[in-house]
Amino acid sequence: MLNCQKATQLFSESQERPLTLKEKMDLKLHTLMCSGCRNYGRNLQALRKIARAYAKGEGASDALPPEIPKED
């Protein structure tokens, strides 16, 4: 079973390389039980979308997940 340090490491590595099936399963099992790591994963995905939107010249607020309020 993963600890939080290994789970966040795998989230970060998943941005750079595809995870193995075992890594994906371990990460999924951990995040089912750990809300902190689940939130970390969501935040990392949101940051990735925002960075990609910014790089394309799009508004970063368009890339925000629906649970984050947009600024006008």
Side-chain angles (χ1 to χ4, degrees):
M1 174 100 168
L2 292 180
N3 61 25
C4 293
Q5 183 178 5
K6 181 64 179 172
T8 55
Q9 179 183 349
L10 284 178
F11 272 124
S12 297
E13 287 180 14
S14 72
Q15 305 299 307
E16 305 293 327
R17 65 171 177 86
L19 298 180
T20 65
L21 180 60
K22 181 181 183 330
E23 289 171 329
K24 289 179 185 176
M25 297 294 288
D26 288 346
L27 190 56
K28 183 70 175 176
L29 180 62
H30 180 82
T31 55
L32 285 173
M33 297 181 289
C34 180
S35 63
C37 288
R38 194 169 42 245
N39 288 336
Y40 178 83
R42 288 182 189 148
N43 290 340
L44 198 59
Q45 287 178 341
L47 285 172
R48 185 176 189 175
K49 286 181 182 178
I50 291 168
R52 285 185 173 184
Y54 180 78
K56 290 180 182 176
E58 301 171 356
S61 63
D62 295 337
L64 290 174
E67 63 268 15
I68 297 176
K70 296 177 182 177
E71 293 184 18
D72 293 323

